[in-house]
Amino acid sequence: MVDVILGMQWGDEGKGKIVDYFAPRYDIIARFQGGPNAGHTLYVNDKKIVLHQIPSGIFHESTINLIGNGVVLDPVTLKRECESVAGFGVDYRKNLYISQRAHLILPTHRALDKASEMSKGVEKIGSTLKGIGPAYMDKTGRNGLRVGDLLDKSFTTEYIKLRLKHQQLLDGFHFKEDMSAWEEEFFEALEFMRQFKIVNGEYFINDKIQQGKKVLAEGAQGSMLDVDFGTFPFVTSSNTISAGVCTGLGIAPQKIRDVIGVTKAYCTRVGGGPFPTELSDATGEELRKTGNEFGATTGRPRRCGWIDLVALKFACMINGVTQLVMTKADVLDAFAELKVCTSYKIDGQATDEVPFQMTRVKIDPVLKSFPGWQSDITGLKNYGGLPEQMKNYIHFINGYLKVNVSYISNGPARDQLIENL
Ligand code: GDP
Ligand code: IMO
Ligand code: MG
């Protein structure tokens, strides 16, 4: 049996905290896509940690963590992360497994990401510059190197061949940067990686499922950043939606039970691209300040706006969402008025569908207003005790989406989660 937790918006919905909360109910936590572009924040014994590639179940001693074949893996970041979780007393060698089919991010992938973004000028995607796009391009272009290749004696020869190809591309971009330090670090990290449990991820996970073990698939990014269904081209390069679980882990669709979508009580986006409910005014600034909306991976300020039910309904549809988790509800505590977007107006025409092309059209969000609750909810433990205004807000969202908000997160700590099942 496999359940999925994934992002419903443009990433940073609080997936890391939610996966960490649910982890004790599962035997295996598995990442199925993305790479070090992700930044999943967890609080362990009141100390903050941001995970980029290691699944968010790593702090639970009896939980197996698998990096699936759909992930693109940067050995350098992985080594750093392992060292940082070891500081929390985690024996990562015991519980961390890596699929041999996961593709490697090379130093030249990172350089290509940078060169490509620089060449786009003002139209840049706003990539995290972690080499994600170029690594996935080499996967679909059938050039990439995989984790399992590390164990083959031809690895260095294949690496040099690929680096040469990349160098030609970099020359085309007139990109000049000394990469020798990156490369040195990379080779050191490869040595470190060779000592890991490198497995046939698809057999590993299917065997466990057969034995009755419970798997939680942890998504990275968000549904609106999906390469097929997001706000293309301002997206990431992987399938972030539930379908990605099948290809990113090697499991069949009928094995998936619950799809748990995580959404903020409002909305954020980091990087370029369309964001219909964005607030470029004092209210947006207040959301950013109160929600501490600065990127966990890049530190960039996140763009903020009201919750977008059109995009959320779309995300519920393409993911087959069965339950919703609403995070950062406490960030709205002080607001006297809240708004939700119920449709888009494009050229004077209202629609409740996400259009094919969001970059070339001007979208005016149609907003419905709600009174705020203006009280501190961070210490509350049960749904019954929530302010009536908040219950009304959630009730409207449930009705619109036809999927219920089953959990409300009211603070960053592990135990700040209210069930409403
Ligand atoms: P992820 O990428 O989806 O895991 O999310 P990030 O870690 O990038 O960003 C979420 C941020 O919100 C982190 O700083 C979390 O500690 C924080 N957070 C998560 N849930 C809550 C919540 O309910 N309330 C508040 N105030 N912060 C939260
Ligand atoms: P988590 O898992 C928020 C955004 C980048 C950029 C676009 C493409 O923490 O939610 P990429 O580096 O993938 O080529 O960047 O996607 N992006 C994220 N935004 N959260 C993330 O991950 C993101 N991963 C990528 O800002 O706009
Ligand atoms: Mg994040």
Side-chain angles (χ1 to χ4, degrees):
M1 182 278 287
V2 182
D3 289 340
V4 186
I5 287 185
L6 46 70
M8 299 294 283
Q9 298 167 313
W10 282 276
D12 301 329
E13 297 90 348
K15 300 173 291 293
K17 165 186 160 161
I18 303 302
V19 171
D20 175 53
Y21 175 86
F22 282 110
R25 304 180 189 183
Y26 295 88
D27 301 293
I28 303 174
I29 312 293
R31 275 279 305 267
F32 58 93
Q33 47 70 232
N37 48 351
H40 295 180
T41 314
L42 280 66
Y43 280 86
V44 183
N45 303 332
D46 293 336
K47 252 184 104 184
K48 176 174 159 172
I49 181 156
V50 181
L51 295 173
H52 301 284
Q53 299 183 112
I54 298 178
S56 303
I58 198 72
F59 295 101
H60 299 272
E61 219 186 313
S62 55
T63 309
I64 288 175
N65 290 268
L66 173 69
I67 297 177
N69 60 279
V71 171
V72 286
L73 198 54
D74 183 338
V76 176
T77 320
L78 182 70
K79 181 168 179 274
R80 260 186 232 142
E81 254 183 278
C82 285
E83 287 160 0
S84 109
V85 299
F88 285 78
V90 170
D91 180 4
Y92 57 82
R93 294 225 183 266
K94 184 172 142 241
N95 285 338
L96 185 59
Y97 293 72
I98 305 174
S99 165
Q100 58 186 354
R101 293 182 193 269
H103 277 247
L104 289 170
I105 300 177
L106 274 45
T108 38
H109 283 137
R110 281 199 271 164
L112 281 166
D113 213 356
K114 209 166 159 186
S116 161
E117 282 285 79
M118 275 161 63
S119 77
K120 286 193 164 113
V122 290
E123 293 182 343
K124 70 177 185 190
I125 309 288
S127 155
T128 58
L129 304 179
K130 303 291 176 190
I132 306 295
Y136 277 118
M137 278 165 75
D138 269 344
K139 175 176 176 174
T140 51
R142 295 157 296 180
N143 291 313
L145 291 169
R146 299 183 290 174
V147 170
D149 296 330
L150 277 177
L151 309 175
D152 197 283
K153 57 181 182 315
S154 67
F155 181 81
T156 308
T157 318
E158 293 304 319
Y159 170 82
I160 290 167
K161 268 203 265 178
L162 188 52
R163 189 187 58 180
L164 204 66
K165 254 188 202 160
H166 290 166
Q167 194 54 58
Q168 284 163 354
L169 292 170
L170 288 168
D171 290 346
F173 281 116
H174 305 288
F175 182 86
K176 299 232 176 313
E177 206 164 296
D178 181 13
M179 275 179 282
S180 50
W182 282 5
E183 216 170 25
E184 200 177 308
E185 231 187 333
F186 177 73
F187 273 92
E188 263 174 44
L190 290 183
E191 273 318 305
F192 175 79
M193 260 187 77
R194 284 193 179 97
Q195 299 156 31
F196 266 92
K197 292 180 175 130
I198 296 173
V199 293
N200 275 341
E202 59 283 12
Y203 282 107
F204 179 82
I205 204 152
N206 280 293
D207 283 350
K208 298 282 186 209
I209 293 170
Q210 194 110 46
Q211 292 161 21
K213 304 278 188 216
K214 293 191 177 124
V215 177
L216 180 62
E218 173 180 4
Q221 291 78 57
S223 302
M224 298 309 286
L225 287 170
D226 181 90
V227 67
D228 280 275
F229 297 105
T231 45
F232 190 87
F234 295 92
V235 293
T236 190
S237 299
S238 65
N239 281 117
T240 60
I241 61 168
S242 55
V245 174
C246 297
T247 53
L249 292 175
I251 56 148
Q254 64 270 35
K255 298 275 187 323
I256 297 178
R257 191 185 62 170
D258 267 336
V259 179
I260 303 162
V262 186
T263 172
K264 281 180 187 167
Y266 50 97
C267 198
T268 65
R269 163 160 216 173
V270 60
F275 182 1
T277 60
E278 181 170 14
L279 293 164
S280 313
D281 56 7
T283 312
E285 193 53 46
E286 197 179 337
L287 280 171
R288 180 159 41 250
K289 219 172 91 209
T290 317
N292 192 23
E293 294 295 357
F294 295 89
T297 297
T298 57
R300 292 178 290 177
R302 294 175 182 147
R303 299 156 64 193
C304 298
W306 298 120
I307 197 165
D308 180 344
L309 297 185
V310 176
L312 267 182
K313 193 164 191 171
F314 174 76
C316 284
M317 175 179 76
I318 54 175
N319 285 301
V321 170
T322 55
Q323 294 179 54
L324 283 165
V325 180
M326 180 185 276
T327 55
K328 307 195 87 159
D330 54 297
V331 173
L332 301 182
D333 277 358
F335 286 79
E337 186 190 22
L338 307 173
K339 290 181 183 171
V340 306
C341 169
T342 53
S343 60
Y344 295 159
K345 222 171 209 175
I346 303 170
D347 294 331
Q349 291 278 83
T351 176
D352 56 7
E353 289 189 5
V354 171
F356 156 71
Q357 176 53 271
M358 288 175 86
T359 47
R360 285 188 219 124
V361 290
K362 184 171 173 324
I363 300 175
D364 292 315
V366 177
L367 299 168
K368 182 174 165 56
S369 179
F370 287 83
W373 45 91
Q374 295 192 279
S375 61
D376 179 358
I377 63 158
T378 53
L380 300 181
K381 297 284 174 209
N382 55 61
Y383 189 81
L386 290 178
E388 284 310 309
Q389 294 90 333
M390 185 174 186
K391 286 185 190 158
N392 287 342
Y393 183 71
I394 291 173
H395 185 71
F396 180 82
I397 293 171
N398 288 348
Y400 186 101
L401 299 177
K402 304 210 166 43
V403 182
N404 284 351
V405 172
S406 307
Y407 298 88
I408 297 143
S409 174
N410 56 339
R414 203 182 252 172
D415 63 351
Q416 286 176 301
L417 199 75
I418 298 167
E419 295 194 1
N420 179 33
L421 293 168

